[in-house]
Amino acid sequence: MGSLNIYVLGSAAGGGVPQWNCRCPVCSLYWAGDHRVQARSQSSIAVSADNERWLLINASPDLRQQILTSQVLQPREGARHSPIKAVILTNADVDHIAGLLVLRERQAFTVYATGQNQAILAENSVFNVLASEVVKRSTINMDEFFDTDIGLKVRPFSVPGKVALFMERGEDTKIGDVTETTIGLEITSGGKRLVYIPGCAEINETVRSIASGADLLLYDGTTYTDDEMPKLGLSQKTARRMGHTPITGPGGSLRAFDELSIGQKAYIHINNTNPILIDGSDEHQTVIAAGWTVTRDGTMFSL
Amino acid sequence: MGSLNIYVLGSAAGGGVPQWNCRCPVCSLYWAGDHRVQARSQSSIAVSADNERWLLINASPDLRQQILTSQVLQPREGARHSPIKAVILTNADVDHIAGLLVLRERQAFTVYATGQNQAILAENSVFNVLASEVVKRSTINMDEFFDTDIGLKVRPFSVPGKVALFMERGEDTKIGDVTETTIGLEITSGGKRLVYIPGCAEINETVRSIASGADLLLYDGTTYTDDEMPKLGLSQKTARRMGHTPITGPGGSLRAFDELSIGQKAYIHINNTNPILIDGSDEHQTVIAAGWTVTRDGTMFSL
């Protein structure tokens, strides 16, 4: 056990792997029972300083299943209990907020989010299943460290992004704006530092300077190429249009952090179309050779 | 394969079994690895006349996992496909609507619900992930058969119930009102008839007359006794306060249908506190002896 413990609950982007209605090459291998493709649930990590009290970064729609397969997150005492003490949202996309609906049943915890994302929760009455008497909603400020009361300090920072899909207004959707819509997180404990950026439309100087010196960088691995979805005929949207930097090509993440001193680099929030999900594929080998880990559900990091 | 095929995707009430934060006697057995308690996901059934095109009754938060374990619901052709052609909601509780968020990714299907429950979906912008160009929302009328276009005819009827938990306004909450908040469904195909009532606050004459002569009645098995939750110290709410008839005691469901001619009777929407979930328990044996099936995830009925 380290000073900063990270448990990958889900490593996939929205929809998971396989996606319920998809027969792209990766999903088709899964449906056919090919063991090179592992099932992956939607992205979320649990972080703890003491392995007893956990902070979730994002609450995925798969959260109930993720808890069932993660003994550290299961209740240990009394009639009702949970080691989950808080959730921080990095944006308001369905794959990051729907799991809040799993955390009903009058269990006390805190939901941290930016003002903009708290407003989205407030506007959607369905989230009132989290009884306001027991679940605290706390608005976080950019660029300031705050204390989670469980031994973890957290600093949110804005990254280039876009609003949640369900809040998009067609062609008016702005991509790459630096607002409080999409954030990254710096989390520290016992001198160790995690930088978590599951969605980022551009690797700018802020992202680079915060990533520099991190013991672990968990970064947006949505697609391998910018035109991955259009090429497969699945969507007209490029990675950038969805608010993500591709792994390869101009502005890609693969080599973007090479000049910086970073302990470990790992991809998370990996879309079902991404060929790095096929173990042993050329693309999988390329990212490994470039020094990246491809996270799986259940991957642990002890810093 | 019969004329009317029913596949139980989830047999538990809201929260599932085990519930994420619960150590009631049933959940504790599960956490301890006792094989008398099986994991159960939140209630939903899939219905089909042809075993190819399926209608979901309610969309549970566990729907992604339910599809992964149900081959008949997986995509079979083209790049994107789903055998799920429609979803009908019987109320707007989180355990019945959150799964709509799983069905994103621009797949065409129809969401049938009462006007009151459609309004709740419309008020919650998060459900806009179901793109309006491809997902049709259709308002259903009480007591009229409608055709789902996949060989199933459906007639919704009001049952005594209450508004969804997240819409409750404290002590003003009315229990047992017969409105369009909570409905049951009569589904027919090839001369066979299913009656589906996962939540019902009172077995009145309407419920009795519609259940009469059904080939299969799937009925609200939330709790065994009315005071089950208060007795365990988990909640102050009785079954009735939650909008459910208990299995036993005054007004209970166990013997309420004895005088009627019904092909098969089975309990669904079973709460994690209900001792019938412990295989071989006295309560489990009592309901079996009274002619009821206790559904499990994966139970199939072919009528």
Side-chain angles (χ1 to χ4, degrees):
Chain A
M1 183 185 132
S3 307
L4 187 54
N5 305 285
I6 295 113
Y7 187 62
V8 176
L9 300 177
S11 49
V17 181
Q19 182 179 300
W20 75 287
N21 65 340
C22 190
R23 285 169 33 95
C24 72
V26 174
C27 288
S28 293
L29 285 175
Y30 179 85
W31 297 123
D34 191 308
H35 292 293
R36 287 174 296 167
V37 174
Q38 285 200 342
R40 279 171 163 89
S41 62
Q42 292 161 91
S43 70
S44 172
I45 61 171
V47 184
S48 177
D50 58 13
N51 270 336
E52 295 210 344
R53 297 167 301 170
W54 294 82
L55 167 68
L56 298 193
I57 316 297
N58 296 317
S60 109
D62 298 313
L63 182 53
R64 183 169 177 267
Q65 198 60 32
Q66 291 169 342
I67 293 172
L68 289 188
T69 55
S70 311
Q71 206 175 356
V72 294
L73 299 183
Q74 295 168 5
R76 282 191 303 265
E77 57 199 40
R80 293 279 169 93
H81 171 260
S82 175
I84 297 170
K85 301 306 176 192
V87 180
I88 305 186
L89 307 178
T90 63
N91 66 12
D93 267 322
V94 165
D95 57 327
H96 286 163
I97 67 172
L100 291 174
L101 301 175
V102 171
L103 301 179
R104 59 200 196 279
E105 314 295 354
R106 303 188 68 80
Q107 188 69 41
F109 68 99
T110 303
V111 180
Y112 296 102
T114 66
Q116 208 168 346
N117 292 333
Q118 290 287 8
I120 291 175
L121 298 183
E123 283 161 23
N124 279 272
S125 62
V126 67
F127 293 104
N128 293 343
V129 283
L130 302 179
S132 57
E133 315 90 80
V134 288
V135 177
K136 190 178 160 194
R137 300 190 188 186
S138 177
T139 298
I140 53 179
N141 299 315
M142 290 308 95
D143 307 319
E144 290 173 15
F145 269 103
F146 67 93
D147 199 319
T148 56
D149 294 329
I150 55 171
L152 300 168
K153 290 194 175 171
V154 181
R155 187 159 70 108
F157 55 94
S158 293
V159 300
K162 68 162 189 68
V163 296
L165 179 61
F166 64 88
M167 298 295 285
E168 285 191 14
R169 295 290 172 266
E171 299 190 356
D172 289 344
T173 306
K174 287 187 185 165
I175 312 297
D177 270 14
V178 181
T179 65
E180 293 189 4
T181 304
T182 310
I183 63 171
L185 298 169
E186 201 179 341
I187 302 180
T188 65
S189 165
K192 298 295 181 179
R193 194 161 69 92
L194 159 71
V195 174
Y196 190 66
I197 310 176
C200 181
E202 189 203 337
I203 300 168
N204 61 15
E205 264 319 297
T206 305
V207 169
R208 235 183 281 267
S209 76
I210 293 175
S212 181
D215 295 288
L216 172 63
L217 169 66
L218 280 165
Y219 188 78
D220 180 346
T222 309
T223 69
Y224 193 71
T225 49
D226 192 43
D227 62 355
E228 188 166 298
M229 301 280 286
K231 261 205 170 156
L232 290 167
L234 296 175
S235 167
Q236 294 171 2
K237 291 182 186 171
T238 61
R240 282 204 177 73
R241 171 61 186 80
M242 296 187 294
H244 298 288
T245 44
I247 292 176
T248 56
S253 56
L254 191 70
R255 293 293 175 191
F257 303 96
D258 277 0
E259 309 299 308
L260 310 175
S261 165
I262 296 175
Q264 298 180 67
K265 289 177 299 191
Y267 282 120
I268 195 166
H269 193 275
I270 308 167
N271 198 53
N272 59 83
T273 51
N274 191 328
I276 68 171
L277 292 175
I278 305 170
D279 288 344
S281 67
D282 288 350
E283 296 84 352
H284 184 253
Q285 292 182 43
T286 299
V287 300
I288 302 294
W292 289 83
T293 295
V294 178
T295 59
R296 300 172 190 272
D297 292 14
T299 298
M300 297 201 74
F301 298 94
S302 198
L303 308 177
Chain B
M1 182 185 134
S3 306
L4 187 54
N5 305 286
I6 295 112
Y7 188 62
V8 176
L9 300 177
S11 48
V17 181
Q19 182 178 300
W20 74 287
N21 65 339
C22 189
R23 284 168 35 94
C24 73
V26 174
C27 289
S28 293
L29 285 175
Y30 180 86
W31 297 124
D34 191 306
H35 293 293
R36 286 175 297 168
V37 175
Q38 286 199 343
R40 279 173 164 88
S41 61
Q42 293 161 90
S43 71
S44 172
I45 61 170
V47 184
S48 178
D50 58 12
N51 269 337
E52 295 211 342
R53 297 166 301 169
W54 293 82
L55 167 68
L56 298 192
I57 315 296
N58 296 317
S60 108
D62 298 314
L63 182 52
R64 183 169 177 266
Q65 198 61 33
Q66 291 168 342
I67 292 172
L68 289 189
T69 54
S70 311
Q71 206 175 356
V72 293
L73 299 183
Q74 295 168 5
R76 281 191 305 265
E77 57 199 39
R80 293 278 169 92
H81 170 259
S82 175
I84 298 169
K85 301 305 177 192
V87 180
I88 305 186
L89 306 179
T90 63
N91 67 11
D93 266 322
V94 165
D95 57 328
H96 285 163
I97 68 172
L100 291 174
L101 301 175
V102 171
L103 301 179
R104 60 199 195 281
E105 315 295 354
R106 303 189 68 80
Q107 188 70 40
F109 68 99
T110 303
V111 181
Y112 296 101
T114 66
Q116 209 169 343
N117 291 332
Q118 290 287 8
I120 290 174
L121 297 184
E123 283 160 24
N124 280 272
S125 62
V126 67
F127 293 104
N128 293 343
V129 285
L130 302 178
S132 57
E133 315 90 82
V134 289
V135 177
K136 190 177 160 193
R137 299 189 189 187
S138 177
T139 299
I140 54 179
N141 299 315
M142 290 308 95
D143 307 319
E144 289 174 14
F145 269 103
F146 67 94
D147 199 319
T148 56
D149 294 329
I150 55 171
L152 301 167
K153 290 195 174 167
V154 180
R155 187 161 69 108
F157 55 94
S158 295
V159 300
K162 69 162 189 67
V163 296
L165 179 62
F166 64 88
M167 300 294 287
E168 285 191 14
R169 297 287 171 271
E171 298 190 357
D172 289 344
T173 306
K174 287 186 185 164
I175 312 296
D177 270 13
V178 180
T179 65
E180 294 190 4
T181 303
T182 310
I183 63 171
L185 297 169
E186 201 180 341
I187 302 181
T188 65
S189 166
K192 299 295 182 180
R193 195 161 67 93
L194 159 71
V195 175
Y196 190 65
I197 310 176
C200 181
E202 189 203 337
I203 301 169
N204 61 13
E205 265 318 298
T206 304
V207 169
R208 236 182 281 268
S209 77
I210 292 174
S212 181
D215 296 287
L216 171 63
L217 169 67
L218 281 165
Y219 188 79
D220 181 345
T222 309
T223 68
Y224 193 71
T225 49
D226 193 43
D227 62 355
E228 189 167 297
M229 302 278 287
K231 261 204 170 159
L232 290 167
L234 297 176
S235 167
Q236 293 171 2
K237 291 182 186 171
T238 61
R240 281 203 179 72
R241 171 61 186 80
M242 296 188 292
H244 299 286
T245 44
I247 292 176
T248 57
S253 56
L254 191 69
R255 293 291 176 191
F257 303 96
D258 277 1
E259 309 299 308
L260 309 176
S261 164
I262 296 176
Q264 299 179 67
K265 289 177 299 189
Y267 283 120
I268 195 166
H269 193 275
I270 309 166
N271 198 52
N272 60 82
T273 51
N274 192 328
I276 68 170
L277 293 175
I278 304 169
D279 287 345
S281 67
D282 288 351
E283 296 85 352
H284 183 254
Q285 292 181 45
T286 299
V287 299
I288 302 293
W292 289 82
T293 295
V294 179
T295 58
R296 301 173 189 272
D297 293 12
T299 298
M300 297 200 75
F301 298 93
S302 197
L303 308 178

